[in-house]
């Protein structure tokens, strides 16, 4: 039986804070997925000139799985937080799976780690938007995922 064609989109959408993990963890993750025949999408796959506010949610919706790489600076990016809310909504509708990767932090650290960024965002964004981000963080912290511990040299 010939392989079934994939629907438009990618197998996996990867949400991450670029400055934290783009050239390290995420590039290795994408290479490993590619070796296994899994297509992935990350923001730098976007054609230049495309409207990100429309294209990113569409890419999430067209993926089967979202991998959320939660690093220390994830919450400093409103884009990352909006992606997380979209991922949460897709999962709540069914047919979409989220896999969190806690990069150099534990699930228990998520809310505390992001408190300062969220407090700063409360001064710039609406209550509803920030509240959605807070709910999304609580949701993703409760999903079984993987923890990538910080190297010992970073802990001392």
């Amino acid at each position: 039986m010939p392989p079934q064609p994939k629907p438009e989109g990618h197998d996996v959408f990867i949400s991450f804070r670029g400055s934290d993990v783009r050239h390290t963890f995420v590039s290795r993750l994408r290479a490993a997925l590619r070796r296994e025949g899994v297509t992935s999408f990350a923001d730098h796959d976007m054609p230049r000139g495309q409207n990100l506010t429309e294209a990113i949610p569409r890419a999430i919706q067209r993926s089967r799985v979202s991998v959320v790489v939660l690093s220390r600076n994830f919450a400093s990016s409103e884009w990352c937080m909006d992606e997380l809310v979209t991922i949460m909504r897709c999962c709540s509708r069914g047919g979409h799976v989220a896999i969190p990767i806690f990069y150099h932090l534990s699930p228990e650290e998520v809310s505390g780690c992001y408190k300062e960024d969220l407090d700063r965002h409360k001064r710039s964004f609406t209550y509803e938007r920030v509240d959605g981000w807070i709910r999304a963080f609580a949701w993703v912290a409760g999903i079984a995922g993987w923890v990538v511990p910080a190297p010992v040299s970073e802990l001392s």
Side-chain angles (χ1 to χ4, degrees), residues 57-94:
R58 189 171 44 249
I60 293 168
Q61 293 163 357
R62 291 179 177 170
S63 299
R64 297 178 182 129
V65 174
S66 289
V67 172
V68 182
V69 183
L70 295 157
S71 57
R72 295 252 174 231
N73 296 308
F74 187 92
S76 67
S77 166
E78 68 184 88
W79 288 100
C80 290
M81 294 184 296
D82 285 342
E83 288 173 6
L84 184 58
V85 170
T86 301
I87 292 165
M88 181 178 70
R89 288 180 181 147
C90 287
C91 289
S92 70
R93 290 184 201 121

Side-chain angles (χ1 to χ4, degrees), residues 15-26:
S15 178
F16 62 96
R17 180 71 172 124
S19 59
D20 286 352
V21 294
R22 179 185 312 279
H23 300 294
T24 55
F25 182 79
V26 170

Side-chain angles (χ1 to χ4, degrees), residues 4-11 37-39 64:
Q4 295 295 316
K6 292 182 181 179
E8 182 182 350
H10 300 81
D11 297 313
V38 176
T39 60
R64 297 178 182 129

